[in-house]
Amino acid sequence: MDTFNWLFENLLFTVNSAITNFFLYGFLASMIGLVLSIVLIKKGRKRNLFLRSNGLWTFLAKLNYIALPVAFMVYFGFIGGIYGVHTSVETYIDDATTPIINYATTFLPEFQQFVEHNPNQYASIDQALEAFEKQPSNSRSRQQAEASFGGMNVMIVEGFLEAIGKRADIAAPVIAISQVDPNNIKRSDLELIPLSVKSVLSYWLIPIYWAVCVPFFSFMFIVLAEIYLYRNFFKSKESDDFQFAV
């Protein structure tokens, strides 16, 4: 139960951190977007990118003086906010899995040595773990570790079998773990767990990033397309009509 209390407390802290980072990163990123949009508008004004052949069209084109900063601030703000949440959750994953990995690096070799003598005696990991946990332990640190993370032993064993490619033997997981050389139980195998969780997190956040990117880039495409069409078709045609009239 201590494990889940610890995870829950860290989760609450992460939620607060994610909310803070969303607004902090979002604000900082929106300021960057504002500055960038102002730079682009100044460059556009020097090149007369917002001047058109008549007053109404020029007025509509100059609405970009407002639309561009708003679009850049909203886009950069949301991207920054989402990134802030992303970093908070990844930090939580690292914080939550590091002590579990530390525990697993000592628990797994001990459990492996326990079951290797008679793996056929146990029908399941649960049964083997129940027998293993009934063993008296003289180590106070081990007792404390088991009190905190013992409830995750099944997940740790199955996750380790997955990491070393023995998931196919899951019908006989106790035999599979008994056949593992304790010297081959490496921390690097267990560190794949947070990396896998992070990859899943990134996968689920991709649609959110796209939901922000698609409207922004669609807006920018319309702005740039209008400028391109005017300067390469309408403006040149107006110049030709003027020369013909002269």
Side-chain angles (χ1 to χ4, degrees):
M1 197 66 181
D2 290 342
T3 305
F4 298 105
N5 288 336
W6 174 77
L7 290 172
F8 183 70
E9 289 174 0
N10 277 272
L11 179 61
L12 290 179
F13 175 80
T14 300
V15 170
N16 291 330
S17 174
I19 294 173
T20 301
N21 281 356
F22 178 83
F23 288 104
L24 177 60
Y25 281 60
F27 174 75
L28 294 175
S30 66
M31 291 300 100
I32 293 174
L34 176 62
V35 172
L36 181 59
S37 66
I38 291 173
V39 171
L40 291 176
I41 288 172
K42 286 185 176 180
K43 290 183 177 294
R45 288 183 63 182
K46 287 182 179 179
R47 298 184 179 184
N48 295 322
L49 295 183
F50 304 111
L51 293 179
R52 300 294 181 264
S53 58
N54 60 68
L56 177 60
W57 197 350
T58 298
F59 170 76
L60 294 175
K62 287 186 175 181
L63 288 177
N64 285 312
Y65 293 167
I66 299 173
L68 284 174
V70 170
F72 272 73
M73 289 180 69
V74 171
Y75 169 70
F76 277 79
F78 271 101
I79 289 294
I82 296 168
Y83 176 77
V85 173
H86 197 163
T87 55
S88 293
V89 178
E90 286 196 337
T91 300
Y92 171 73
I93 292 170
D94 289 332
D95 292 342
T97 54
T98 297
I100 296 172
I101 291 172
N102 292 337
Y103 165 72
T105 54
T106 57
F107 156 72
L108 283 171
E110 292 178 359
F111 180 65
Q112 190 279 335
Q113 291 171 4
F114 174 76
V115 298
E116 71 175 342
H117 300 297
N118 192 4
N120 294 313
Q121 182 179 349
Y122 309 106
S124 66
I125 290 178
D126 290 294
Q127 192 178 89
L129 284 170
E130 184 178 353
F132 173 75
E133 291 166 0
K134 287 180 179 179
Q135 290 187 117
S137 174
N138 296 323
S139 171
R140 181 174 178 80
S141 60
R142 176 179 159 182
Q143 291 175 352
Q144 292 175 339
E146 287 183 350
S148 298
F149 302 105
M152 308 182 75
N153 284 341
V154 174
M155 185 196 75
I156 291 171
V157 173
E158 293 186 350
F160 174 70
L161 291 173
E162 180 86 36
I164 62 174
K166 286 189 173 289
R167 188 68 182 175
D169 300 323
I170 204 62
V174 179
I175 295 176
I177 192 71
S178 69
Q179 294 173 346
V180 176
D181 184 347
N183 295 323
N184 290 334
I185 299 178
K186 300 176 182 177
R187 185 182 181 87
S188 57
D189 293 327
L190 300 169
E191 287 176 344
L192 293 174
I193 296 173
L195 292 177
S196 299
V197 176
K198 287 180 183 179
S199 66
V200 172
L201 171 66
S202 298
Y203 174 80
W204 284 105
L205 284 177
I206 286 175
I208 300 177
Y209 281 109
W210 274 109
V212 179
C213 290
V214 169
F216 174 76
F217 286 107
S218 298
F219 167 74
M220 289 303 300
F221 174 78
I222 293 172
V223 172
L224 295 175
E226 189 271 337
I227 293 174
Y228 176 82
L229 291 173
Y230 175 74
R231 292 178 68 86
N232 290 276
F233 293 96
F234 292 95
K235 186 177 181 180
S236 59
K237 183 179 179 180
E238 290 169 1
S239 300
D240 292 341
D241 291 343
F242 177 76
Q243 291 176 1
F244 180 77
V246 173

